[in-house]
Amino acid sequence: MGNIINFPGSEVTPENVFSLEVNNIPQDKLEDTLAKIEEIYEELEQEEPEDTESEEYYEWSEMLEALDDLMDEIQERLDD
C-alpha cells in the first residue's frame, strides 16, 4: 500500500490511515487505533456525494470499504 506507520507515537489521521499495516500495530494500541479509524469512517460517511453515478461517489465508496476492511482486520487481531 504505502508507508508503514511506526508505533507508538504515530497519530492515525485521514491522510495516513490507508497506509497502516495492521500487523505492525502493537497489541496495546489496537483499541485506540480502531476507535480513531471509526471516527474517520463516521466523518467520511457524512461527506457522501450526491451523484451516485459520479467518479467522486465511486472513490468515496471505495474509501469507506477500505476503512471497513481495516477495522475488520484490527477487530480480528483484538479477538485473537
Side-chain angles (χ1 to χ4, degrees):
M1 261 182 125
N3 298 331
I4 296 173
I5 297 175
N6 296 315
F7 281 86
S10 293
E11 172 112 11
V12 177
T13 65
E15 294 77 26
N16 68 16
V17 70
F18 295 106
S19 60
L20 284 176
E21 294 292 334
V22 173
N23 292 329
N24 292 338
I25 302 171
Q27 192 71 26
D28 64 335
K29 298 289 184 188
L30 288 173
E31 287 185 23
D32 291 339
T33 302
L34 181 59
K36 183 62 180 173
I37 294 170
E38 288 170 343
E39 287 176 27
I40 293 169
Y41 185 94
E42 290 171 12
E43 289 171 9
L44 186 59
E45 273 188 315
Q46 301 302 314
E47 298 173 11
E48 180 177 357
E50 289 183 29
D51 182 1
T52 59
E53 301 297 320
S54 69
E55 182 67 25
E56 182 182 12
Y57 187 89
Y58 173 77
E59 290 174 3
W60 172 84
S61 65
E62 289 291 310
M63 286 190 289
L64 281 180
E65 187 175 329
L67 287 173
D68 194 45
D69 291 344
L70 188 57
M71 289 186 294
D72 287 345
E73 286 181 54
I74 292 171
Q75 190 60 56
E76 285 176 17
R77 282 206 47 212
L78 284 168
D79 292 343
D80 288 341

